[in-house]
């Protein structure tokens, strides 16, 4: 299979009757995803975009065999929604909701881990494998099946880059948007082994941001464990220290987490580091050619 | 990120039972004098500017006084300061205690480990960045387990405390954990934590509350921090808006793409002045509002860089066109628009009808925005 | 296991904000009359024996009254009862509410899953053992996660509630969880939980607090429960002592070996009357105390069955010999002693010097104890 | 190796300066166990029974490579002691302390599980493998190396039974006392697979008690997964319902957990059920003979 999702992925949409939930249920269906159920407490029996709605995740799992979820419910209720999904036996939980307090996410992360479930996000675009399934909100138009893996902390920037890869005549195996919050369910270090082991991925594009040490941690992992070529880009070279740049994750604190520290670490780990996002497709194509000729 | 000034942090500490010096917030030299003369604050006292920046001591924003007149004069001197860009409007007048030792303690988040981390040092009273690593005890605290006796014993041993003051420190550590958890703090820092007789006393307080948790703590949503007035308006409208030093405005959708746009602009010689992240929206009215807000920051040029996902290109185009008719004469600006992604064709069409030419390439668009702001376009090569 | 009577359980509920009928504890018919006449408890009212056993309604321990005189008479009738071995000493006089529905809810421990479990049923007001399994919703609640919205929604759906009463039920469930956790309860049960207008009201309260947690809740250590006076003395001396229906005393060390000893005694026709578990001790004085306590229960014979581990055989032998000299004339009993394990030889020697022959085999020892109590020794074959 | 302990087991004694801690450190040493450290906060630098004492488990692990612990600290502090051991990287934690509130044990159990550590107990005699190591308080005199595994919820009754096996001329591979509290770190169901997989164990003696459903759960496990012969004994046939019999675990509630329900379940699962403890050695010997002749 591809990374984390494939054509056996059966998706629940938690918050399907909300505007975002409905829109993205439709988009996931259009992508070819098996969206098998929606959940909104008190709305059991309705149908949204042809998808049956249940009162609880447990009911939806019992009736449809769902094994993944996308969470669109508002931040104050997201923790409950995630715990519900995990307790119902869901093992892949994509949390699209933004503005979830990190104290809540700490509980959510460790609880999911205790129960053997994986969280992607929160505040993330989710995951998609062209031709197979999409769990999340990445626009359908950017994809084309291929052998480039993309893993990113950004949202829209990821779409831009994935699209650029497509326009360059290449395609993607799996694209995974981790979200840029301070506490994420899946980090680069968690995601890289999945791409490294995925037989359908030849090369990984990694899109980082300033703030935190996720890219430095990833560099350490790449150095020791990743044999596939990695193209790395980090946004925020020009950001002044201490200013909040939208994501809570994008704060430079105490001289750590700067673009420079991340870029140096990735370069030293053997990744091909590019300075601007529009340089990514060429770098990818070049590495694939090099690999082909070896 | 709701950064609280010292006295607000101490108000929280008081609620949780942390030992504090007796003190009073004042806003004028006369109030400072009254605070010590009315006996609420014993002499000698210390008078501290209530600003968010660090280094107040070295920066002249902390003074001592032994009489009411001295307190008044000290307050007058500090209230006049513009401390690292912050106007000093409030002072904390506090008793000066007989300190035996100065310690450091903080609780914050370790993102990589996804755990709170307790940091402690026997070297308090200085910036923790300047304390050698081996003098800092870092203890991860699992959120399920909370702060346990063994964590506290480790800190107290690192501080070298025993007897009654160790018991006081033990209780203090519980309070720090409680504040961190119950108030949804990003940071709880006490530097210095002073040993005064048989007790530990928080001489300073640095508390940062997480923005996203203000639905549980509405009282913090009202607290002023270091936002500019336009940033404050943006916050109310739920637009991510940051003012920087330059003069080119950037409107994009998503933190990553916005930062990438700033990077490219800077590389070609432009100086980004406003960062405006539309986020995900499909409401043209919100886009219009964002543009009007941008206009009020008087940018020399604006670079609109959109990749349509949740935020569709036609939504942005509609909002932009509506805004253009509403921008007051004196606030108009040259616009470079690049739109790609969902409903790209529709968006380009709407802009075209309004006389705006949309571009496709990031590089060329950035160069155009730099030129429109009146800068010489530099080579984009990285040095 | 500290079992609380209804009114004590309701006092806890009140502290946590659970809705309750207005009521008052009384200890005499006159008090009952005053409770309704002084207006504290509205009429009509219900008068309930404060005993720990269930089935009070069927057993005549619950009565209704519409006047003060009726309340007095009902109280008099119930106070006279000996309810399943418990003397009725306290009554709860409560207003009789207009009930729409009766529900069931409890929180207890699922040992196998090592999780608290919330049990709910729409069939309240009857013994939960008699409710068919498919009418009971069982929801495991992870201790790290606590009771969440989705758990509560499931219960409320099972109860078939919506609107304001559903909100009342939601709040009630949070209170049940809080009591369970914060009071270290083994069981929190409300049966029936009544729907009264737009609210749910706890008509009964069954709360059991864990013995081992009384160091956190010293108030419960004082609560009387269903212990006999000798059991109460034993508890104070930290000896596990249970009075049963028979007349052979058993002193052993460890719950498992004590139970096994009872099993064997019974198999040979004896009727065990006192279970005394020495536990792990190496203090002969504690052993002596245990023997003196046993003597006060007037057993027909006593079987001492020790396997020495933490409790060494010589410790037991010393304690036993000391006790034998102190037992008052009227409380002496025939003794069969079996001691094995750590310091077995020393123990046997000490007993021998005091004229007591120690045995080695459990089977023969048990037969001897049965015979010493005056019973005919039955064949040990299992039927 | 034997079950859970072997000659590489290096034991810390938490609460070594207390009376029980000292006595059992001595006994463990006499058994041949590598007791490498004691822990009592504030007593670092002392030596008890030749064993160095540290202020914290973390210090003791750093200095001695300890990988197991025995906890003797009083009940109100046992939770802290266990969390400390788990955080210090200890993976086998025997809790001898009795009277730990089960609410504390719930946290302890799930925290240990989250961190990949195993708890035995609380209120338990611990584990021993004759000739290798003992972590706990089972009297040394009852052992003799052999191939009979013993797993039990009881304390003293276990010693009695293990001793009887020895006196019958047989020996034990590993003896594991689980403790009889309502929440135990290791239950029969957790322990049986270890004995089933242990190449040094030929047969398992299982000693149960009334109360709870641990024996019924074990029967279910035995039926599906245990191929080695099992001899089962359950104490408490004669106990009246509802009376407290020393262990909180030994309560008969609501008709479940009776001796009869346990014995029937075990019998139906194929275990050899005996009525009295003194029947165990013969039953064991007989089964071993049968096995030998097959």
């Amino acid at each position: 299979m591809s990374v984390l999702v494939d054509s056996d992925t059966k998706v629940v949409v938690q918050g399907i009757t909300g505007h975002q939930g409905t829109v993205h249920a439709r988009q996931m269906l259009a992508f070819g995803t098996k969206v098998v159920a929606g959940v909104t407490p008190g709305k059991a029996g309705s149908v949204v975009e042809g998808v049956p709605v249940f009162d609880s995740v447990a009911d939806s799992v019992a009736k449809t065999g769902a094994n993944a979820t996308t969470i669109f419910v508002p931040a104050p209720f997201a923790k409950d929604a995630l715990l519900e999904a995990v307790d119902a036996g869901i093992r892949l939980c994509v949390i699209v909701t933004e503005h979830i307090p990190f104290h809540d996410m700490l509980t959510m992360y460790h609880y999911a881990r205790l129960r053997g479930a994986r969280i992607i996000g929160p505040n993330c675009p989710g995951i998609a494998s062209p031709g197979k399934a999409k769990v999340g909100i990445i626009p359908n138009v950017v994809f084309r099946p291929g052998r480039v893996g993309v893993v990113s902390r950004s949202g829209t920037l990821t779409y831009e880059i994935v699209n650029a890869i497509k326009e360059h005549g290449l395609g993607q195996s799996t694209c995974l948007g981790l979200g840029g919050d301070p506490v994420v369910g899946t980090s680069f270090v968690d995601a890289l082994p999945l791409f490294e082991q995925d037989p359908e991925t030849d090369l990984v594009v990694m899109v980082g941001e300033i703030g935190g040490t996720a890219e430095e941690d990833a560099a350490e992992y790449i150095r020791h464990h990743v044999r596939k070529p990695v193209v790395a880009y980090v946004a925020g070279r020009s950001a002044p220290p201490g200013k909040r740049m939208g994501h809570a994750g994008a704060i430079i604190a105490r001289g750590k987490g700067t673009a420079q520290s991340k870029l140096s670490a990735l370069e030293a780990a053997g990744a091909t580091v590019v300075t601007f996002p529009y340089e990514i497709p060429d770098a990818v194509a070049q590495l694939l050619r090099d690999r082909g000729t070896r | 990120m709701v950064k609280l000034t010292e006295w607000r942090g101490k108000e929280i500490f008081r609620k949780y039972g942390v030992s504090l010096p007796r003190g009073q917030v004042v806003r004028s030299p006369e109030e400072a004098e009254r605070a010590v003369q009315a006996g609420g604050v014993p002499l000698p006292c210390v008078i501290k500017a209530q600003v968010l920046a660090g280094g107040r001591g070295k920066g002249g924003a902390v003074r001592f006084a032994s009489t009411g007149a001295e307190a008044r004069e000290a307050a007058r001197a500090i209230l006049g300061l513009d401390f690292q860009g912050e106007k000093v409007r409030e002072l904390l007048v506090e008793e000066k205690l007989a300190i035996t030792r100065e310690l450091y303690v903080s609780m914050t988040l370790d993102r990589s480990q996804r755990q709170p981390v307790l940091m402690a040092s026997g070297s308090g009273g200085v910036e923790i960045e300047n304390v050698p690593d081996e003098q800092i005890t870092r203890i991860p605290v699992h959120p399920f387990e909370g702060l346990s006796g063994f964590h506290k014993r480790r800190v107290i041993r690192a501080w070298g405390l025993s007897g009654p003051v160790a018991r006081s420190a033990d209780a203090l550590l519980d309070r720090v954990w409680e504040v961190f958890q119950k108030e949804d703090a990003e940071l709880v820092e006490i530097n210095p934590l002073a040993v005064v007789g048989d007790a530990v006393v928080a001489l300073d307080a640095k508390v940062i509350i997480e923005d996203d948790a203000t639905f549980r703590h509405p009282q913090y949503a009202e607290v002023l921090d270091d936002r500019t007035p336009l940033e404050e308006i943006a916050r109310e409208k739920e637009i991510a808006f940051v003012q920087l030093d330059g003069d080119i405005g950037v409107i994009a959708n998503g933190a990553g793409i916005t930062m990438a746009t700033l990077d490219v602009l800077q590389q070609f010689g432009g100086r980004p002045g406003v960062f405006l992240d539309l986020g995900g929206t499909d409401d043209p009215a919100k886009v219009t509002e964002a543009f009007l807000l941008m206009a009020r920051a008087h940018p020399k040029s604006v670079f609109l860089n959109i990749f349509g996902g949740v935020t569709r290109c036609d939504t942005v185009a509609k909002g932009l066109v509506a805004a253009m008719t509403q921008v007051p004469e004196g606030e108009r600006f040259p616009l470079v628009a690049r739109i790609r992604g969902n409903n790209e064709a529709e968006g380009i069409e709407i802009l075209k009808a309004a006389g705006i030419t949309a571009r496709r390439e990031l590089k060329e668009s950035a160069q155009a925005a730099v030129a429109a702001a009146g800068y010489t376009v530099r080579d984009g090569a990285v040095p």
Side-chain angles (χ1 to χ4, degrees), chain A, chain B:
Chain A
M1 76 179 272
S2 30
V3 170
L4 295 175
V5 295
D6 63 13
S7 39
D8 291 332
T9 303
K10 292 184 196 155
V11 182
V12 178
V13 178
Q14 285 177 264
I16 195 170
T17 55
H19 176 67
Q20 289 277 309
T22 303
V23 165
H24 291 292
R26 187 189 311 138
Q27 292 296 319
M28 283 189 270
L29 285 164
F31 193 89
T33 313
K34 295 194 176 77
V35 179
V36 295
V39 170
T40 300
K43 295 277 176 70
S46 354
V47 172
V48 172
E49 301 289 327
V51 173
V53 178
F54 297 88
D55 271 340
S56 72
V57 182
D59 288 354
S60 77
V61 169
K63 293 286 166 48
T64 70
N67 53 24
T69 184
T70 38
I71 295 180
F72 289 97
V73 306
F77 312 108
K79 178 174 155 187
D80 181 57
L82 182 278
L83 298 175
E84 176 177 5
V86 170
D87 263 19
I90 298 279
R91 289 296 165 259
L92 178 67
C93 307
V94 170
I95 307 179
V96 175
T97 309
E98 54 180 345
H99 297 306
I100 297 175
F102 79 79
H103 283 276
D104 287 3
M105 251 316 284
L106 287 175
T107 307
M108 293 154 74
Y109 171 75
H110 290 285
Y111 189 71
R113 196 163 156 243
L114 180 74
R115 291 295 184 100
R118 176 185 291 276
I119 295 175
I120 298 175
N123 187 16
C124 82
I127 185 165
S129 182
K132 293 174 176 167
K134 177 178 93 168
V135 189
I137 62 168
I138 310 178
N140 295 350
V141 296
V142 302
F143 289 102
R144 167 184 164 148
R147 302 191 57 84
V148 178
V150 178
V151 56
S152 168
R153 273 173 78 192
S154 297
T156 313
L157 182 58
T158 313
Y159 314 160
E160 166 108 39
I161 288 166
V162 173
N163 191 61
I165 290 168
K166 181 185 78 172
E167 294 192 340
H168 203 279
L170 297 164
Q172 311 90 16
S173 53
T174 300
C175 172
L176 170 54
L178 305 171
D181 273 15
V183 177
V184 289
T186 301
S187 66
F188 286 125
V189 168
D190 303 321
L192 285 167
L194 305 176
F195 284 97
E196 173 73 7
Q197 285 150 28
D198 176 32
E200 301 181 10
T201 298
D202 286 341
L203 174 151
V204 183
V205 173
M206 191 187 130
V207 181
E209 282 180 11
I210 53 170
T213 58
E215 291 77 7
E216 287 90 336
D217 299 343
E220 194 59 24
Y221 187 85
I222 290 168
R223 180 201 294 274
H224 296 293
H225 303 292
V226 178
R227 294 290 147 262
K228 294 182 181 173
V230 175
V231 173
Y233 166 72
V234 175
R237 306 163 56 97
S238 65
K243 274 283 183 182
R244 186 183 174 82
M245 294 307 229
H247 280 183
I251 296 164
I252 304 183
R254 302 192 169 179
K256 284 183 197 159
T258 61
Q260 203 45 58
S261 106
K262 293 173 188 305
L263 293 168
S264 312
L266 287 163
E267 197 141 36
T272 300
V273 170
V274 301
T275 311
F276 298 112
Y278 47 76
E279 298 167 352
I280 292 173
D282 279 341
V284 168
Q286 182 64 46
L287 281 164
L288 288 176
R289 272 196 302 276
D290 292 354
R291 197 178 165 82
T293 57
R294 264 187 310 191
Chain B
M1 196 160 56
V2 186
K3 294 182 191 167
L4 303 182
T5 49
E6 179 188 359
W7 75 267
R8 286 187 192 272
K10 284 184 171 171
E11 270 197 349
I12 297 174
F13 283 180
R14 184 167 288 118
K15 199 172 91 189
Y16 284 84
V18 173
S19 291
L20 299 166
R22 277 169 291 179
Q24 195 179 316
V25 185
V26 302
R27 290 172 183 82
S28 72
E30 295 67 34
E31 258 191 289
E33 188 173 4
R34 274 201 302 276
V36 296
Q37 281 177 344
V41 181
L43 287 166
C45 72
V46 54
I47 294 148
K48 299 186 273 186
Q50 296 302 288
V51 290
L52 295 168
R56 290 177 300 174
K58 276 178 276 176
V62 175
R63 293 178 185 233
F64 298 91
S66 303
T67 67
E70 280 179 27
R72 190 182 62 231
E73 284 320 301
R76 194 187 309 283
I78 302 175
L79 278 167
L81 293 176
D82 189 285
F83 193 80
Q84 295 180 28
E86 286 179 73
K87 274 249 175 314
V88 180
R89 293 195 176 84
E90 297 172 326
L91 304 172
L92 182 58
V93 181
E94 273 185 348
E95 67 179 318
K96 190 166 178 295
L97 295 168
I99 293 166
T100 321
R101 285 185 59 201
E102 293 190 329
L103 312 169
Y104 172 90
V105 66
S106 71
M107 180 75 71
T108 184
L109 170 70
D110 182 333
R111 295 176 181 201
S112 295
Q113 297 301 312
R114 283 109 157 175
Q115 287 192 40
V117 59
L118 178 64
M119 290 199 281
S121 173
S123 309
V126 296
E127 299 260 312
I128 192 69
E129 294 90 328
N130 302 330
V131 175
D133 248 12
E134 65 275 14
Q135 289 177 26
I136 302 175
T137 303
R138 293 171 53 92
I139 302 178
V141 177
H142 199 281
F144 287 158
E145 167 196 356
L147 191 70
S148 290
F150 74 96
H151 299 127
K152 294 185 284 178
R153 288 196 297 275
R154 233 179 105 189
V155 170
I156 290 165
R157 216 159 59 227
W159 281 340
L161 303 179
S162 60
V165 67
R167 282 193 288 280
S168 171
D170 182 277
L172 178 277
L173 291 169
D174 283 332
R175 299 296 88 76
V176 168
W177 172 248
E178 251 188 291
V179 171
F180 183 73
Q181 281 252 303
K182 295 195 179 161
E183 300 294 321
D184 277 296
E186 289 186 20
L187 174 71
V188 178
E189 187 180 57
I190 306 178
N191 187 20
L193 177 71
V195 176
V196 178
D198 275 350
V200 290
V201 179
L203 291 200
D204 198 356
K206 186 163 190 177
V207 178
I208 301 178
I209 305 296
E210 197 193 359
D211 270 29
D212 288 340
T214 48
F215 69 84
R216 282 197 282 256
H217 312 282
Q219 71 275 23
Y220 296 127
E222 302 309 310
V223 175
L224 287 169
D225 66 3
D226 57 350
R227 293 187 188 94
T228 66
L230 285 182
E231 287 175 358
E232 192 51 41
I233 294 170
R235 198 185 68 82
E236 280 161 21
K237 295 185 190 290
E238 297 186 352
I239 296 167
F241 181 100
V242 182
Q243 287 189 288
L244 307 171
D245 292 335
D247 38 30
I248 302 179
V250 171
I251 301 183
N253 58 330
I257 198 170
T258 312
M259 282 194 286
T261 307
L262 300 187
D263 292 351
V264 178
L265 278 177
Q266 179 158 299
Q267 199 62 37
F268 290 114
R271 293 178 58 239
V274 177
F275 160 124
L276 193 159
D277 173 6
L278 282 175
T281 180
D282 50 8
D283 178 6
K286 188 172 173 193
V287 178
T288 302
E289 265 183 2
F291 268 90
L292 293 173
L293 192 67
M294 175 60 87
R296 292 177 60 184
H298 302 293
K300 285 196 189 157
S301 73
V302 169
F303 179 10
L304 172 73
N305 185 18
I306 297 296
F307 195 93
V310 173
T311 308
R312 299 189 323 264
C313 292
D314 56 334
T315 305
V316 175
K318 277 179 210 155
L320 166 57
V321 170
M324 281 307 175
T325 66
Q326 294 173 40
V327 174
E329 182 71 36
E331 294 185 354
R332 300 222 174 124
F333 48 77
L335 175 78
V336 175
R338 169 178 180 260
I339 58 176
R340 300 296 317 275
N342 261 0
N343 297 17
E344 177 178 319
E346 294 88 327
I348 289 174
E349 206 50 49
I350 293 165
L351 290 184
K352 202 173 182 182
I356 301 165
T357 308
R359 293 164 183 267
R360 281 179 59 94
E361 296 306 322
L362 176 56
K363 193 171 168 181
E364 288 74 35
S365 307
Q367 289 171 333
V370 170
Y375 291 98
T376 308
V377 176
R378 274 209 315 249
D379 188 322
V382 181

